[in-house]
């Protein structure tokens, strides 16, 4: 008999799914319309209204959204796209899928967002786009990045997988760059299990994305199995199978309606962590900059290793032994075998990201995180630091 999986005292993340959302999914299953249909279109409409974008297009992942964004922008072989090294591989892999070259840049030491000075220095005659990643849910310095984009005529494709609901100088993320890509993966700020959304104010880009997200079939091809549709369709582009299902959208509609409540509870968790650990000099805490609304998808601490007799990996092991789930966001992409070997990067090419990687730990943060569990995490961090401070 297989032993049951050990459940941590404090899991890294736990999704919050309501009975109403479960009922909505069940109702969709009973309706007989499971794939892209009316609920997906309603989810798109509600999402566009929520962020203030003219168009929102639902897809099956943020990776799909990023790929479609670059595809719609015409990125292709011979082009270069500037990408932060401190991100998940999806941000760069879609550049490779388009036959273009991802050009990595270093990050800022406080927010871990891409450094605008490094972006400006990385622009060449082949650069066609940049992909700012709002790390952990804190928006990048978009004013400076937009200036660079305007100077060199670059597309701005925002990777906002962490950034719902986030704002930059009063502007909602989803309305700033040319195209913005959101994630609804299981541990994101709202979830559809798997799923994503692309927003844009550009009518032509939106039309390209919509058609190319479903095999390149002519407009509203999803209606061909409904009473108002027709069996006839035309293939106008060699597209992709990136559409979102109605079962996922049914969950997304309920989650979206609770997005602000989720955010307020995440923000409260972040504030409590900061209160509990403010007097621990061996820990550097994340801070929301004054001109942004941080979505608090991640709560990433930095260990001041010079003041500790323990390294990051051993620190994580002790948290794990205490039943606390953690993660590391991220192993910089220029250190990953594929990107290192294909493009000839060395670990010290991006010293800020390289140095941060050795010292960062992501602690549990989610709307339903109980106060006593958060307190336990903070107390355990303090205890490990006390045992290993120099």
């Amino acid at each position: 008999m297989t032993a049951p999986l050990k459940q941590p005292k404090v899991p890294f993340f736990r999704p919050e799914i309501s009975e109403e959302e479960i009922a909505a999914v069940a109702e969709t299953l009973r309706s007989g319309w499971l794939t892209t249909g009316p609920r997906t279109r309603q989810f798109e409409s509600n999402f566009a209204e929520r962020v203030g974008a003219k168009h929102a297009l639902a897809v099956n992942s943020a990776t799909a959204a990023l790929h479609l964004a670059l595809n719609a922008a015409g990125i292709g072989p011979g082009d270069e796209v500037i990408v932060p090294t401190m991100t998940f591989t999806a941000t760069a892999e879609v550049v490779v899928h388009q036959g273009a070259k991802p050009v990595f840049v270093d990050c800022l030491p406080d927010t871990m967002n891409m450094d605008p000075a490094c972006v400006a220095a990385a622009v060449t005659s082949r650069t066609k786009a940049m992909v700012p990643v709002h790390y952990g849910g804190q928006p990048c310095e978009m004013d400076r990045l937009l200036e660079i984009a305007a100077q060199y005529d670059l597309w701005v494709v925002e990777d906002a997988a962490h950034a719902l609901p986030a704002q930059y100088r009063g502007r909602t993320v989803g309305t700033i760059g040319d195209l913005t890509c959101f994630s609804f993966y299981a541990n994101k700020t709202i979830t559809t299990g798997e799923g994503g959304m692309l927003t844009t104010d550009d009518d032509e880009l939106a039309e390209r994305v919509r058609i190319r997200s479903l095999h390149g079939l002519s407009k509203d091809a999803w209606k061909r199995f409904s009473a108002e549709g027709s069996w006839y369709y035309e293939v106008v582009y060699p597209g992709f199978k990136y559409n979102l299902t109605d079962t996922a959208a049914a969950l997304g509609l309920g989650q979206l309606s609770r997005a602000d409540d989720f955010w307020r509870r995440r923000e409260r968790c972040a504030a409590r962590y900061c209160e509990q650990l403010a007097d621990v000099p061996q820990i550097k805490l994340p801070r929301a900059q004054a001109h942004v609304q941080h979505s608090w998808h991640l709560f990433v601490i930095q260990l001041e290793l010079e003041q500790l007799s323990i390294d990051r990996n051993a620190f994580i092991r002790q948290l794990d032994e205490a039943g606390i789930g953690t993660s590391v966001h991220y192993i910089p992409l220029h250190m990953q075998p594929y990107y290192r070997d294909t493009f000839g990067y060395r670990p010290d090419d991006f010293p800020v990201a390289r140095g941060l990687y050795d010292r960062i730990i992501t602690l549990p943060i989610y709307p339903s995180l109980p106060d006593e569990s958060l307190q336990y995490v903070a107390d355990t961090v303090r205890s490990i630091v006390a045992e290993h401070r120099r």
Side-chain angles (χ1 to χ4, degrees):
M1 182 177 177
T2 303
L5 293 174
K6 177 185 175 184
Q7 294 296 316
K9 291 182 182 177
V10 185
F12 177 65
F13 181 74
R14 178 173 287 150
E16 184 169 325
I17 310 298
S18 70
E19 289 301 319
E20 291 80 4
E21 288 159 1
I22 293 171
V25 172
E27 181 183 347
T28 303
L29 293 172
R30 295 188 187 100
S31 75
W33 193 290
L34 307 186
T35 188
T36 306
R39 286 169 181 79
T40 302
R41 294 298 177 250
Q42 187 63 55
F43 186 31
E44 291 175 331
S45 176
N46 290 12
F47 194 92
E49 182 178 1
R50 171 63 184 77
V51 301
K54 188 173 183 180
H55 303 281
L57 302 111
V59 289
N60 58 21
S61 69
T63 307
L66 288 164
H67 190 190
L68 287 164
L70 295 179
N71 180 273
I75 304 303
D79 294 339
E80 294 179 350
V81 178
I82 297 174
V83 175
T85 188
M86 187 61 86
T87 186
F88 186 58
T89 183
T91 314
E93 72 190 33
V94 294
V95 179
V96 177
H97 294 334
Q98 283 298 113
K101 178 183 178 181
V103 175
F104 295 134
V105 294
D106 214 340
C107 61
L108 297 164
D110 49 357
T111 64
M112 289 180 260
N113 281 326
M114 65 196 304
D115 186 336
C118 295
V119 173
V123 176
T124 72
S125 61
R126 294 178 297 279
T127 308
K128 295 296 186 292
M130 67 171 75
V131 187
V133 177
H134 303 304
Y135 180 91
Q138 175 141 234
C140 295
E141 286 302 327
M142 292 306 298
D143 283 352
R144 179 62 184 125
L145 293 177
L146 291 172
E147 287 174 3
I148 296 167
Q151 181 179 355
Y152 296 103
D153 192 24
L154 307 180
W155 292 99
V156 178
V157 176
E158 294 175 73
D159 183 335
H162 300 176
L164 179 75
Q167 295 180 4
Y168 173 79
R169 299 191 187 279
R171 298 180 66 184
T172 301
V173 171
T175 63
I176 302 172
D178 296 300
L179 304 112
T180 307
C181 304
F182 295 89
S183 173
F184 308 136
Y185 183 64
N187 67 352
K188 293 304 193 293
T189 54
I190 70 169
T191 185
T192 58
E194 296 277 2
M197 191 76 76
L198 184 152
T199 61
T200 183
D201 285 343
D202 187 302
D203 295 343
E204 184 176 351
L205 287 175
E207 183 66 8
R208 288 182 204 165
V209 169
R210 186 173 297 286
I211 289 172
R212 296 174 189 190
S213 69
L214 188 56
H215 298 299
L217 304 184
S218 49
K219 188 176 181 181
D220 288 337
W222 63 273
K223 290 182 179 179
R224 66 191 185 281
F225 298 118
S226 70
E228 59 185 302
S230 166
W231 61 267
Y232 183 79
Y233 61 86
E234 294 181 335
V235 178
V236 296
Y237 185 86
F240 312 96
K241 187 68 168 70
Y242 283 165
N243 55 302
L244 189 72
T245 67
D246 261 24
T247 49
L251 175 57
L253 282 163
Q255 291 271 300
L256 182 63
S257 72
R258 298 197 289 157
D260 288 327
D261 176 56
F262 287 165
W263 170 72
R264 283 188 289 269
R265 287 190 275 158
R266 282 179 175 273
E267 186 183 44
R268 180 175 178 273
C269 287
R272 290 211 60 211
Y273 270 136
C274 288
E275 291 169 5
Q276 294 297 320
L277 297 171
D279 62 343
V280 182
Q282 294 80 11
I283 301 291
K284 182 177 180 180
L285 299 168
R287 302 286 184 184
Q289 296 189 312
H291 56 279
V292 308
Q293 176 176 298
H294 198 312
S295 76
W296 292 111
H297 166 56
L298 300 177
F299 190 89
V300 181
I301 63 171
Q302 298 180 36
L303 304 181
E304 301 290 0
L305 294 174
E306 302 79 7
Q307 302 179 43
L308 294 167
S309 61
I310 187 174
D311 66 15
R312 188 273 313 282
N313 292 352
F315 204 108
I316 286 177
R317 282 195 297 273
Q318 291 202 14
L319 288 169
D320 181 65
E321 289 166 3
I324 296 169
T326 62
S327 191
V328 172
H329 294 84
Y330 294 95
I331 304 171
L333 289 184
H334 76 281
M335 296 168 60
Q336 295 284 7
Y338 171 78
Y339 299 104
R340 179 195 66 207
D341 299 342
T342 302
F343 302 106
Y345 287 115
R346 297 165 299 177
D348 292 334
D349 284 346
F350 305 104
V352 177
R354 173 69 183 87
L356 286 167
Y357 166 61
D358 287 334
R359 61 181 68 231
I360 54 176
I361 302 174
T362 308
L363 299 181
I365 184 168
Y366 44 93
S368 61
L369 182 63
D371 287 348
E372 58 271 22
S373 295
L374 189 150
Q375 186 68 55
Y376 176 69
V377 174
D379 289 346
T380 304
V381 169
R382 295 177 69 95
S383 176
I384 296 171
V385 167
E387 183 181 353
H388 297 284
R389 68 163 56 98
R390 291 187 186 276

